[in-house]
Amino acid sequence: NSLQSTVPSRTSIVMESESKGKLWIINPDSPDNTVTVKGVEIISQLPEFVSLRNGATPGFVDKTIGYVPTNVKPGSNGEIDMVMKPISGLSVYKFDVRFQYVDSTSEEIQYSDVYEMSARLPGFAADVMDIDKTTKPANVRTYSVFFRNTNGFKENVSRIRVRTSGKQRILAVGPQSEQGNIAILTPVTKQSGTIVLTPLDDLSDPVAPDSSVKPIYITLSGVDSDTIRLNYDALDETNGVISSGSFLLSDPISKVEDERGGGNMGVSILTLPNPATSSATISITLEKDISNVTVKIVDMLGREVLNVTNNSMLFQGSHVFSTDLSSLASGSYIIILNAEQGRATQPLSIVR
């Protein structure tokens, strides 16, 4: 029942069991939406329908073909109850769905395109995402940079290609979302068999002349000097080079200092995004176990403003803390990690 009672963010089919499901029609509440959904045609690619029902209104079914009338206005949701004849061993049901609708300017029935929808049955194993304790790049630093379209051709820049000039490797570039709390990872298999993660190209908007992209966070490994030179190409919509250049990276926004004599603690702190707005993720990677750990955020006068964790034992590997910064004012802060084995700090900026 929990699946059926949870309203999805977009129109979709959710199965409660192998025989019962629900088609959710999510009609957005926006000024430019004048569409009212008046009916749904649905074709099942494999299991047959037993019944379709919109509240008290029954629909029509004929084996794998069904239709049900609706009246889903802008800003409201429709719930179509579906009963199927289950097929043993099938884990995903596929449907072709077409909507009948009218808009505010006409009462004439119009038809949408046909959309293929998949409904996955509950009870099957989930994918796994977890910490990789075997891969630990050395000398990782994150920098904040910007790009400004100043080319003399007054052309839009569709893509920006960045290349290292030495042994450094580019690990990550961001942010991927406006609030910095979502990243979409798109795996691409190269000819060598290596799988890399690439941003989505189909959602990009070009950088217009005299416009800027800021901030851009670049995370590198293999940084063994105070300054690193990167090369860049500004590309048009066909990946043609508009202009090229290089720039120096210095003053990383992610940096750890060991403030006690006794050698390096083997601690790496990475905070993203930084600068942050309302939240940030603090990632702490340890080469060995540390004890009596306190992580806190202090202002520039040394006053504690936020406690992240207190009196903890942190084991070798990576630890991630999702931190709510909404109570803190814009400005500069310091993240301080204290442990029996040493002390590490990292600057943090909050910008709103």
Side-chain angles (χ1 to χ4, degrees), residues 8 12 24 113 116 220 334:
S12 54
W24 289 91
D113 294 332
E116 183 177 290
L220 303 174
I334 300 174

Side-chain angles (χ1 to χ4, degrees), residues 239-261:
N239 288 333
V241 176
I242 301 173
S243 65
S244 299
S246 65
F247 60 99
L248 285 176
L249 291 175
S250 62
D251 300 322
I253 62 175
S254 175
K255 184 177 181 181
V256 177
E257 300 171 357
D258 188 354
E259 298 180 356
R260 292 186 185 175

Side-chain angles (χ1 to χ4, degrees), residues 68-329:
V68 62
T70 64
N71 190 39
V72 184
K73 298 179 180 180
S76 60
N77 303 327
E79 303 176 37
I80 309 302
D81 292 306
M82 304 165 46
V83 179
M84 314 294 299
K85 290 183 179 178
I87 297 179
S88 177
L90 198 62
S91 60
V92 181
Y93 294 168
K94 294 184 179 294
F95 303 89
D96 293 320
V97 181
R98 186 170 74 158
F99 301 96
Q100 296 178 347
Y101 67 92
V102 296
D103 61 34
S104 60
T105 62
S106 172
E107 289 298 318
E108 181 182 354
I109 293 290
Q110 302 181 60
Y111 294 87
S112 72
D113 294 332
V114 176
Y115 299 96
E116 183 177 290
M117 295 186 179
S118 296
R120 294 166 182 83
L121 302 186
F124 288 82
D127 299 301
V128 175
M129 194 169 189
D130 207 342
I131 295 174
D132 176 9
K133 296 183 179 180
T134 63
T135 304
K136 189 180 297 183
N139 300 324
V140 176
R141 297 289 184 270
T142 298
Y143 302 86
S144 179
V145 304
F146 73 92
F147 173 83
R148 184 168 180 80
N149 182 344
T150 58
N151 68 75
F153 309 103
K154 300 296 181 181
E155 287 191 51
N156 291 337
V157 175
S158 294
R159 295 175 182 84
I160 306 162
R161 181 168 57 204
V162 180
R163 310 184 309 278
T164 62
S165 57
K167 63 181 181 180
Q168 299 81 24
R169 295 184 59 199
I170 300 174
L171 300 183
V173 178
Q176 280 205 2
S177 64
E178 186 175 3
Q179 299 299 325
N181 60 345
I182 297 175
I184 298 177
L185 311 179
T186 307
V188 175
T189 304
K190 312 302 285 187
Q191 287 186 336
S192 63
T194 301
I195 298 177
V196 300
L197 301 174
T198 183
L200 295 173
D201 286 338
D202 57 344
L203 300 179
S204 63
D205 291 319
V207 183
D210 299 321
S211 297
S212 298
V213 180
K214 177 183 178 182
I216 302 171
Y217 304 119
I218 300 179
T219 301
L220 303 174
S221 65
V223 178
D224 54 5
S225 61
D226 292 336
T227 59
I228 301 295
R229 182 170 294 277
L230 292 186
N231 303 309
Y232 69 90
D233 300 311
L235 308 177
D236 62 19
E237 66 275 5
T238 65
N239 288 333
V241 176
I242 301 173
S243 65
S244 299
S246 65
F247 60 99
L248 285 176
L249 291 175
S250 62
D251 300 322
I253 62 175
S254 175
K255 184 177 181 181
V256 177
E257 300 171 357
D258 188 354
E259 298 180 356
R260 292 186 185 175
N264 195 301
M265 266 203 313
V267 176
S268 173
I269 301 178
L270 176 63
T271 304
L272 290 175
N274 192 356
T277 53
S278 59
S279 63
T281 299
I282 301 174
S283 300
I284 300 174
T285 303
L286 306 176
E287 295 181 2
K288 56 187 177 182
D289 301 348
I290 58 176
S291 55
N292 292 332
V293 181
T294 297
V295 180
K296 60 184 178 181
I297 299 176
V298 303
D299 62 18
M300 300 311 290
L301 297 177
R303 298 173 299 192
E304 180 177 334
V305 294
L306 193 65
N307 182 276
V308 179
T309 187
N310 194 37
N311 296 326
S312 300
M313 176 75 182
L314 296 185
F315 297 97
Q316 177 186 6
S318 298
H319 305 265
V320 177
F321 300 90
S322 297
T323 309
D324 182 4
L325 305 174
S326 59
S327 63
L328 303 184

